[in-house]
Amino acid sequence: MESKEVKKVVLAYSGGLDTSIIIPWLKENYDCQVIAFVGDVGQGEDELEGLEERALKTGADKVLIKNLKEEFCTDYIFPMMQAGAVYEGSYLLGTSIARPLIAKHLMDVVEKEGADAVAHGCTGKGNDQVRFELTFKAFNPKIRIIAPWRLWDIRSREDAVAYAEAHGVPLKVKKRGVYSHDRNLLHMSSEGGQLEDPWQSAPEDIYRLTKSPWEAPDKGAEIVIGFEKGVPKMIDGRPFSPAQLLMSLNSLGREHGIGRVDLVENRLVGMKSRGVYETPGGTILYRAHHELETLVLDAETLHLKEQLAPKYAELIYNGRYFVPLREALDAFVAETQHNITGEVRLLLYKGNVIVRGRRSPYSLYREEFATFGKDDVYDQSDAEGFINLYGLSIKVRALIEQEGGEQLNGYRPPKYSKLYYSFKRD
């Protein structure tokens, strides 16, 4: 156990198993004041209800709850969506993107309250410990960080439940089949329990934000999402605030079974883990935004964005949010969004997001150029010269082979050519 004196700790508090037992543990081991900080990023009323009372009963000296939902959408979710960030092709980073926001505001509390330490309930095996602590360091490199899962004798969720029972901490979990959930405005993640066997199907009762696709309505729903400079503003012509828009899309996605992902991912700490994610509204938004970009962005810009997107996702996943590279990527992405204004028409149907149409005043698509019918704006004979120039290097290489290029100093034909095998025989 660390021996340095601690006077006041700000704890990233969720009311779940881990952070609930951390309050009495901090009191026992550090004899300090504990401020429980809750960042409301859309966990839901059922999770926030009674949270302050529970924390105080468990031993917290003060509880601070801050509504971050609009900021979460405007400054974190939407820029990430604009960047097209998806981790390992499937994960829309719902938990990952919330951590730097929560940690940033926790550090505001540290400064205002004069705290000398921070604490979190992340395990030593997970990614969240990195996401929280790198943000703490970015805002106060000298802050004392207490990570109980790396210090105490508790080694499993069963041990944690036993500790809670021994200290009179009320919990809504069972000793067996314990699942770890994280919910916010963008998604719900589920890990542990039966999911630790990647061959076992996820139990249906683990899903909370989405209906199963086979129980979704037989008739799909068509919607139109309107964007202004890359930011979603309207659904079917009706304006919404950022958080309200995402909540509305979550409701639509839930009804039609949109956004379920079951994957085995590579954690930053070096191990693989299996998680089940539900991202109904986010899945719809990502698809709509990308479709509008295909209409508006030129090929070079679009292709470069697609190359940079995995790096942006990796930075978020690995907790490197407040770093110069992410800020530089944001500047690039923001520049690409000036003309991403328009509408995308989608059909939501049994787990699928089907694009039905897209339009923009800045569209680079022009029917007079793309038509397969008769046109007066494109001289098809021009294509011959283009092909000759574009394929010149291929033509020159083939001519060298045909004309005995093996005599040229240092030339070695490619493995698939006939000359290569003649070299080997010689």
Side-chain angles (χ1 to χ4, degrees):
M1 181 62 60
E2 298 173 286
S3 58
K4 292 182 180 179
E5 182 181 359
V6 174
K7 295 180 180 179
K8 188 181 292 186
V9 180
V10 181
L11 168 67
Y13 182 71
S14 68
L17 172 60
D18 296 340
T19 57
S20 292
I21 64 174
I22 284 175
I23 293 177
W25 183 87
L26 287 171
K27 290 283 190 178
E28 284 183 357
N29 291 278
Y30 293 93
D31 190 26
C32 60
Q33 293 184 49
V34 177
I35 300 174
F37 172 72
V38 181
D40 179 4
V41 289
Q43 297 92 316
E45 293 301 323
D46 55 334
E47 291 191 31
L48 294 174
E49 185 179 0
L51 202 62
E52 181 176 2
E53 182 181 359
R54 293 203 306 274
L56 292 172
K57 284 184 176 180
T58 309
D61 296 279
K62 183 185 290 188
V63 181
L64 299 174
I65 302 175
K66 188 166 186 179
N67 187 339
L68 304 175
K69 293 193 287 289
E70 294 293 348
E71 182 180 353
F72 187 31
C73 289
T74 301
D75 295 344
Y76 292 80
I77 296 175
F78 290 173
M80 179 179 71
M81 172 202 67
Q82 291 169 355
V86 181
Y87 184 69
E88 295 188 339
S90 299
Y91 176 33
L92 297 186
L93 299 161
T95 294
S96 310
I97 193 60
R99 297 317 189 214
L101 170 63
I102 295 170
K104 173 189 173 184
H105 282 273
L106 185 146
M107 294 307 294
D108 288 341
V109 175
V110 167
E111 183 176 354
K112 292 175 183 177
E113 296 289 335
D116 54 348
V118 294
H120 61 74
C122 310
T123 72
K125 291 183 177 180
N127 302 301
D128 278 344
Q129 59 181 335
V130 181
R131 296 165 186 154
F132 274 115
E133 294 185 27
L134 292 189
T135 302
F136 297 156
K137 293 177 186 295
F139 286 90
N140 185 346
K142 297 181 179 179
I143 193 69
R144 175 86 176 277
I145 299 173
I146 302 173
W149 271 102
R150 304 201 297 255
L151 299 171
W152 58 22
D153 295 328
I154 296 172
R155 290 292 176 264
S156 67
R157 296 204 174 273
E158 290 75 15
D159 289 347
V161 171
Y163 183 95
E165 292 175 345
H167 290 76
V169 177
L171 298 171
K172 298 179 181 180
V173 296
K174 300 178 181 178
K175 289 185 179 180
R176 293 174 181 250
V178 177
Y179 292 96
S180 174
H181 298 284
D182 181 78
R183 179 179 178 179
N184 60 43
L185 199 59
L186 182 58
H187 91 154
M188 162 80 81
S189 69
S190 302
E191 295 178 318
Q194 183 176 321
L195 300 179
E196 291 183 352
D197 180 355
W199 179 249
Q200 293 295 319
S201 299
E204 187 59 33
D205 61 4
I206 205 172
Y207 295 101
R208 299 184 185 180
L209 301 188
T210 56
K211 284 184 177 181
S212 62
W214 48 90
E215 292 179 351
D218 291 334
K219 183 178 180 180
E222 188 170 278
I223 63 172
V224 176
I225 301 179
F227 291 83
E228 292 180 13
K229 296 184 181 296
V231 178
K233 297 282 189 177
M234 294 181 289
I235 302 174
D236 294 333
R238 180 184 173 189
F240 291 87
S241 76
Q244 289 172 338
L245 184 139
L246 186 52
M247 286 189 284
S248 296
L249 290 178
N250 280 337
S251 179
L252 287 165
R254 173 189 178 87
E255 182 67 17
H256 294 278
I258 306 295
R260 290 187 176 187
V261 172
D262 184 330
L263 76 147
V264 174
E265 70 195 60
N266 289 292
R267 285 183 175 175
L268 173 62
V269 295
M271 68 184 69
K272 291 183 181 290
S273 66
R274 192 263 190 102
V276 170
Y277 300 107
E278 299 171 85
T279 318
T283 299
I284 297 169
L285 271 184
Y286 262 72
R287 184 64 188 275
H289 179 266
H290 175 71
E291 286 302 317
L292 194 56
E293 284 193 322
T294 64
L295 194 66
V296 173
L297 293 181
D298 64 279
E300 286 186 318
T301 302
L302 180 64
H303 294 170
L304 182 58
K305 274 189 86 268
E306 291 173 343
Q307 293 174 43
L308 294 175
K311 185 61 181 180
Y312 194 106
E314 184 181 273
L315 289 174
I316 295 173
Y317 188 85
N318 292 344
R320 301 185 65 83
Y321 192 82
F322 294 105
V323 298
L325 178 55
R326 195 273 305 168
E327 294 170 357
L329 290 176
D330 268 348
F332 165 72
V333 172
E335 184 65 25
T336 69
Q337 298 302 296
H338 291 311
N339 290 341
I340 308 303
T341 295
E343 294 179 316
V344 179
R345 186 158 46 92
L346 303 168
L347 176 66
L348 311 181
Y349 180 69
K350 291 189 178 295
N352 296 286
V353 181
I354 303 168
V355 178
R356 300 294 289 269
R358 70 289 272 168
R359 63 185 178 186
S360 168
Y362 302 102
S363 172
L364 297 183
Y365 179 92
R366 290 293 181 263
E367 185 177 353
E368 61 267 27
F369 286 99
T371 181
F372 282 90
K374 182 179 179 181
D375 68 85
D376 298 318
V377 298
Y378 183 91
D379 188 343
Q380 297 195 28
S381 64
D382 289 343
E384 181 178 358
F386 165 74
I387 295 171
N388 288 337
L389 291 175
Y390 187 67
L392 183 59
S393 61
I394 297 173
K395 181 177 180 179
V396 169
R397 185 179 187 182
L399 287 171
I400 291 175
E401 289 189 25
Q402 292 177 5
E403 295 171 2
E406 69 274 14
Q407 303 299 324
L408 298 177
N409 292 333
Y411 175 78
R412 186 171 183 82
K415 287 187 177 181
Y416 56 78
S417 74
K418 295 180 181 179
L419 288 176
Y420 173 80
Y421 296 100
S422 66
F423 267 123
K424 293 191 71 175
R425 285 195 299 271
D426 293 343

